[in-house]
């Protein structure tokens, strides 16, 4: 879910459009959309935050007439900001049973496939997660996959960021790496580590998760726009641009 470039750690800000009179946020409240470096959904490019999910979030907020900023930083900080601070949201957030009641949601923004990789040439084989019960998984702090595995009593060694895991896999510090198909392949390529798929875990929806103090009218306005983008095919066209 993801390496952090220097610009990400400095928290890049993108200022959104001005609010339209009479909208849900017309009292001057600005929503802060927290995110992380996670190609191809949200990542730094020059002085901007881009990616398929970023493009959708920007269009949703703009069409709903909601002022916003986007701030890029480590996942744990981004997630905890949305969990604890009014007017904060976080994307791209895996929608899980544990998280569903913690936020107000605008979804689905994107989709991600959870997978398990191994070092190329490793003899490890599995037809199910249960076949990997005695293996050490690589994950990262606060990630939904790592949380899922720990909740099912698998052994997970959590790194501060997912970009560390390809090197850990190569060095034999972990047996397998639980991550996401698209971002995992890119992180491995960036680290010049060859990997192979062991098995997929599941496909999971991603959303914009907002603090429970965010006004219901703002959530409803954004969800209405997202529904329209999904129905028209515009959202799918943006998602397919990452393929």
């Amino acid at each position: 879910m993801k390496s952090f470039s220097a610009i990400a750690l400095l928290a890049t800000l993108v200022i959104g459009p001005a609010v339209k009179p009479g909208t849900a946020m017309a009292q001057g409240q600005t929503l802060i959309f927290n995110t992380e470096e996670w190609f191809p959904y949200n990542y730094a490019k020059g002085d901007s935050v881009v990616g398929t999910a970023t493009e959708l979030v920007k269009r949703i907020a703009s069409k709903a007439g909601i002022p916003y900023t986007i701030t890029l930083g480590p996942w744990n900080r981004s997630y905890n900001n949305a969990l604890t601070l009014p007017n904060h949201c976080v994307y791209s957030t895996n929608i899980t049973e544990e998280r569903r009641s913690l936020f107000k949601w605008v979804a689905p923004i994107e989709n991600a496939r959870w997978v398990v990789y191994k070092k190329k040439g490793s003899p490890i084989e599995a037809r199910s997660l249960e076949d990997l019960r005695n293996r050490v998984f690589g994950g990262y702090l606060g990630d939904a996959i790592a949380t899922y595995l720990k909740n099912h009593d698998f052994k997970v060694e959590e790194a501060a960021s997912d970009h560390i895991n390809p090197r850990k896999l190569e060095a034999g510090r972990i047996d397998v790496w639980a991550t996401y198909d698209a971002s995992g392949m890119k992180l491995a390529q960036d680290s010049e580590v060859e990997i192979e798929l062991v098995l997929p875990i599941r496909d999971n929806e991603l959303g914009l998760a907002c603090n429970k103090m965010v006004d219901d009218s703002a959530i409803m306005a954004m969800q209405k726009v997202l529904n329209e983008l999904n129905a028209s095919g515009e959202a799918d066209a943006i998602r397919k641009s990452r393929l």
Side-chain angles (χ1 to χ4, degrees):
M1 112 188 161
K2 311 158 180 175
S3 63
F4 298 102
S5 62
I7 192 169
L9 293 175
L10 288 173
T12 302
L13 294 178
V14 178
I15 305 301
V19 64
K20 299 176 184 177
T23 61
M25 303 300 288
Q27 292 78 12
Q29 294 177 325
T30 296
L31 289 184
I32 300 171
F33 296 148
N34 298 270
T35 192
E36 64 169 335
E37 185 86 2
W38 184 15
F39 179 89
Y41 307 110
N42 21 265
Y43 58 98
K45 186 175 182 180
D47 294 330
S48 299
V49 182
V50 297
T52 55
T54 298
E55 179 61 28
L56 280 168
V57 166
K58 287 179 178 179
R59 291 196 190 189
I60 290 164
S62 296
K63 288 178 178 288
I66 293 173
Y68 65 90
T69 64
I70 296 178
T71 179
L72 186 70
W75 174 251
N76 262 353
R77 184 177 71 194
S78 296
Y79 182 86
N80 287 328
N81 281 350
L83 188 64
T84 61
L85 299 176
N87 297 329
H88 279 251
C89 303
V90 61
Y91 77 96
S92 302
T93 308
N94 277 278
I95 303 172
T96 64
E97 288 306 313
E98 294 85 359
R99 292 174 173 176
R100 195 176 296 275
S101 64
L102 299 177
F103 300 98
K104 293 180 179 179
W105 293 89
V106 179
I109 298 290
E110 261 284 9
N111 295 278
R113 173 163 288 187
W114 299 8
V115 296
V116 179
Y117 288 122
K118 65 179 180 180
K119 180 180 176 180
K120 186 175 181 179
S122 166
I124 294 173
E125 294 184 358
R127 293 187 177 181
S128 69
L129 277 178
E130 197 58 37
D131 292 337
L132 300 171
R133 173 64 62 184
N134 296 321
R135 301 293 184 176
V136 178
F137 287 79
Y140 73 98
L141 292 170
D143 179 54
I145 306 177
T147 299
Y148 174 84
L149 291 171
K150 289 191 298 180
N151 286 346
H152 287 81
D153 298 321
F154 288 92
K155 185 175 181 181
V156 183
E157 186 174 305
E158 294 174 288
S161 173
D162 210 20
H163 82 280
I164 299 170
N165 283 312
R167 292 294 187 187
K168 291 175 68 175
L169 188 65
E170 184 179 48
R173 294 170 57 193
I174 54 177
D175 298 317
V176 291
W177 176 25
T179 185
Y180 303 87
D181 58 350
S183 59
M185 289 299 299
K186 184 175 189 304
L187 291 177
Q189 290 169 1
D190 290 347
S191 298
E192 298 182 340
V193 174
E194 293 186 288
I195 59 175
E196 295 177 334
L197 180 68
V198 179
L199 78 167
I201 302 175
R202 74 184 201 193
D203 292 333
N204 209 72
E205 289 187 340
L206 310 176
L208 176 68
C210 293
N211 185 274
K212 297 188 84 170
M213 294 296 291
V214 172
D215 195 275
D216 285 343
S217 59
I219 300 296
M220 292 173 63
M222 289 190 289
Q223 187 64 57
K224 181 176 183 293
V225 171
L226 177 57
N227 292 346
E228 292 168 352
L229 293 175
N230 282 331
S232 69
E234 185 175 345
D236 274 342
I238 293 170
R239 295 180 187 115
K240 289 176 182 177
S241 69
R242 64 179 162 86
L243 301 177

